Amino acid sequence: MDIQPSDELPEKGELILATVLEIQAHGVYVDLEEFVNLKGYLHRSEISTGWVRHVERHVRVGQKIVLKVTRVNVNRREVDLSLRQVTQEERRRKIIDVKQTEKANALLEETKTKLNLSDEEIKIVEDKLERKFGNVYKALETITKDGINAIEEIGIQSNIQDTIEQISKERITIPEITIKGVIEVSC
């Protein structure tokens, strides 16, 4: 997955996406994709709620998994992780978040290419969208729903606004929910 790595360390309790690098008898070494040159360790006792005799039956090399940070040693840059403490809902939300971030990055990259913008210019646009909406994908969703009016007041050049609106409307579909029911009212 194409996510922007960070130089910082994760915090205890944080959910992170990792790729299995090496399986050993007592645990698994993983690459923490959201962090630059940072590896983590998943002890076999944190893989499943039951006794794990063969680690390779639960994970495989190259597999991407969502893990929870259980301990961070800042001085040694060591991160201990848990798979068993991650609920299905947390896993689902993290995967959706990663996919939305990737999609937002791709749409901004398309805007950058289409308008021949520099890295600095697109970073300024990204920062303004994040400040206003919390994250870029939410901003692009809002633009798709409400049009360019959603971002007019944040100080982005009009040609960039128009391009972002056009690309957002082409690439982002807003889910619709239809609820049907019968209401019986008596007095």
Side-chain angles (χ1 to χ4, degrees):
M1 294 189 182
D2 185 32
I3 46 184
Q4 301 294 328
S6 168
D7 288 327
E8 301 170 6
L9 290 172
E11 295 177 13
K12 184 177 179 179
E14 184 176 347
L15 293 173
I16 54 176
L17 185 68
T19 302
V20 176
L21 295 176
E22 182 183 351
I23 298 173
Q24 296 185 343
H26 296 289
V28 179
Y29 285 98
V30 296
D31 176 42
L32 307 181
E33 294 189 7
E34 299 168 66
F35 300 90
V36 177
N37 294 326
L38 188 61
K39 309 281 185 267
Y41 186 70
L42 173 63
H43 190 268
R44 73 178 182 192
S45 65
E46 290 294 331
I47 292 176
S48 181
T49 53
W51 173 256
V52 176
R53 174 169 273 155
H54 301 286
V55 175
E56 62 277 355
R57 291 185 182 165
H58 298 273
V59 294
R60 64 185 184 286
V61 174
Q63 180 181 3
K64 294 189 184 298
I65 51 179
V66 177
L67 302 169
K68 187 176 278 188
V69 177
T70 57
R71 186 182 69 83
V72 178
N73 184 329
V74 178
N75 297 331
R76 296 178 68 182
R77 289 185 56 85
E78 291 179 347
V79 180
D80 290 338
L81 304 156
S82 174
L83 177 60
R84 71 180 175 93
Q85 292 180 28
V86 180
T87 66
Q88 288 289 64
E89 179 61 23
E90 288 174 326
R91 183 176 292 114
R92 187 186 69 75
R93 272 189 278 135
K94 180 65 177 179
I95 290 170
I96 288 171
D97 183 47
V98 167
K99 287 181 180 182
Q100 287 178 346
T101 301
E102 289 175 349
K103 190 169 191 173
N105 289 341
L107 295 180
L108 285 180
E109 188 63 34
E110 186 176 341
T111 302
K112 176 184 158 192
T113 304
K114 207 173 216 182
L115 296 174
N116 200 22
L117 299 173
S118 68
D119 288 338
E120 294 80 29
E121 290 173 313
I122 204 68
K123 181 68 176 146
I124 290 169
V125 170
E126 182 180 357
D127 290 344
K128 288 181 178 183
L129 292 173
E130 280 182 356
R131 248 182 273 122
K132 168 85 173 156
F133 296 94
N135 72 42
V136 177
Y137 190 81
K138 285 181 187 173
L140 298 175
E141 259 187 345
T142 304
I143 293 166
T144 302
K145 277 191 288 191
D146 303 336
I148 204 69
N149 299 336
I151 61 169
E152 281 182 339
E153 77 280 352
I154 62 174
I156 298 175
Q157 296 173 6
S158 62
N159 63 329
I160 297 174
Q161 286 181 13
D162 295 338
T163 304
I164 288 174
E165 179 184 29
Q166 175 197 356
I167 291 171
S168 295
K169 288 191 175 188
E170 290 172 1
R171 303 275 195 288
I172 295 177
T173 53
I174 305 298
E176 291 183 21
I177 299 172
T178 305
I179 299 174
K180 293 182 179 180
V182 177
I183 299 175
E184 203 173 296
V185 179
S186 61
C187 188

